[in-house]
Amino acid sequence: MIRVKKTRRVPAALQTADVTAALHALEAGYDAAPAACRAPRNQLLHVPATLYNIPAIKARLIADQKEKCCYCEGKLLHIGYGDVEHYRPKNGFKQSPTTKLEKPGYYWLAYQWTNLLFTCKRCNGGHKRNYFPLANHPAGRAYCHHDDLGQEQPLLLHPVLDNPADHIRFRRAVAVGKTARGRATITICGLNRKHTLERRRTHLAHMESHDLMADKDITTMSATDLAREIAKCGTAQALVRRILQARAIRDQAALDSAEYAGMVRANFPLLPQR
């Protein structure tokens, strides 16, 4: 997980008359019957996906996030479409995985650009879902559009507003919380889930191999070492190409666009990051 540089300009698709009308309808619906809207399992303020989960919105998010899930940093477009995710859940929330779903959700943020992110289905639908704990729940919770959102103390890191590196470090491929928010985010999004951890371990092993190769200099090798490396690659020209390729891979591995850049930066702190 790294900090995402999201385009500040709100997409035109979120500034239409239909979006404004839908938002006003949600707010009016709450004001008309607040107690009913807070009743368990009610659907009074349900937000359909037709106004935010559209190609124009998703394309902007995918471009801003360099085609990566904002939480696990996996590149997923080769195997799936990904989700337009609400940082603060729109239809209901849970303070912990074992508590019941509370209503309403953050309906007034359903079409807010800053609340939308791009995620993989495992982070969003498999782990986070409606889980949005606060350090100061319930006193600081904003329950409706009249409440002060600034009083909330979210435990889940916001990939745009927070710097994940301040809260999460890596022990090799394993994400480790440096703070309570870092530990909570790892749990909420399942950042150490089995298959993601396997992918990160494999990626790290490849990176270490490239790093060793990138540091080789055929002009300073002993004759024995040079002969051994040429034998591995087939020819001297192939060895040079392999070294140059390793350097190129290493130099790009910690950039914002690179998969698992957060883990790579933690293990190779001197690599270029921009």
Side-chain angles (χ1 to χ4, degrees):
M1 189 173 178
I2 62 171
R3 191 165 199 171
V4 171
K5 298 179 183 66
K6 194 174 176 183
T7 307
R8 291 188 177 183
R9 181 168 51 84
V10 178
L14 291 176
Q15 301 183 78
T16 66
D18 286 345
V19 170
T20 301
L23 180 59
H24 288 169
L26 288 167
E27 293 177 350
Y30 180 87
D31 288 340
C37 290
R38 295 183 65 165
R41 294 186 294 277
N42 83 82
Q43 295 293 318
L44 294 174
L45 301 179
H46 179 72
V47 179
T50 52
L51 291 178
Y52 69 82
N53 192 14
I54 60 177
I57 302 299
K58 182 177 277 189
R60 279 283 299 274
L61 292 169
I62 291 173
D64 283 357
Q65 295 177 205
K66 316 297 184 189
E67 303 181 354
K68 298 192 297 183
C69 170
C70 68
Y71 296 124
C72 74
E73 280 202 89
K75 289 209 170 189
L76 55 112
L77 294 179
H78 63 298
I79 56 171
Y81 296 102
D83 291 341
V84 175
E85 122 92 344
H86 289 79
Y87 172 73
R88 284 179 166 86
K90 61 190 184 303
N91 289 322
F93 67 88
K94 287 185 174 184
Q95 171 63 16
S96 78
T98 57
T99 56
K100 293 182 179 179
L101 185 71
E102 294 189 53
K103 291 281 191 168
Y106 296 82
Y107 59 87
W108 67 100
L109 305 178
Y111 311 110
Q112 188 174 91
W113 177 234
T114 56
N115 198 45
L116 300 181
L117 297 162
F118 178 66
T119 67
C120 70
K121 287 191 176 298
R122 293 298 301 275
C123 282
N124 185 28
H127 290 272
K128 178 178 175 284
R129 298 185 179 181
N130 294 300
Y131 187 21
F132 191 73
L134 302 181
N136 59 342
H137 176 82
R141 178 80 66 178
Y143 289 93
C144 72
H145 60 285
H146 298 297
D147 293 342
D148 182 4
L149 206 62
Q151 297 298 311
E152 291 196 336
Q153 298 174 15
L155 288 169
L156 176 65
L157 296 172
H158 192 301
V160 178
L161 304 179
D162 299 304
N163 182 7
D166 293 338
H167 302 272
I168 296 174
R169 62 184 177 87
F170 283 85
R171 185 184 301 124
R172 301 278 295 162
V174 178
V176 178
K178 296 163 66 176
T179 66
R181 296 190 69 197
R183 290 188 288 274
T185 299
I186 291 169
T187 299
I188 292 168
C189 298
L191 297 185
N192 284 329
R193 56 184 182 264
K194 178 177 181 291
H195 297 295
T196 297
L197 194 53
E198 287 176 354
R199 288 273 295 176
R200 286 205 304 263
R201 283 175 170 147
T202 299
H203 189 73
L204 181 59
H206 287 163
M207 268 302 300
E208 290 171 336
S209 176
H210 293 313
D211 187 49
L212 285 174
M213 180 58 74
D215 281 339
K216 293 186 183 303
D217 183 348
I218 62 172
T219 66
T220 59
M221 284 184 188
S222 68
T224 302
D225 289 344
L226 182 59
R228 185 182 63 246
E229 294 300 327
I230 290 175
K232 288 180 183 176
C233 295
T235 65
Q237 291 79 8
L239 172 60
V240 171
R241 285 198 301 271
R242 177 70 184 88
I243 292 172
L244 294 176
Q245 180 187 48
R247 290 174 181 171
I249 291 172
R250 183 178 65 176
D251 288 347
Q252 296 178 33
L255 301 182
D256 287 353
S257 57
E259 193 169 39
Y260 309 127
M263 176 197 69
V264 172
R265 290 174 185 180
N267 285 278
F268 300 89
L270 299 182
L271 293 184
Q273 299 185 5
R274 298 287 185 274

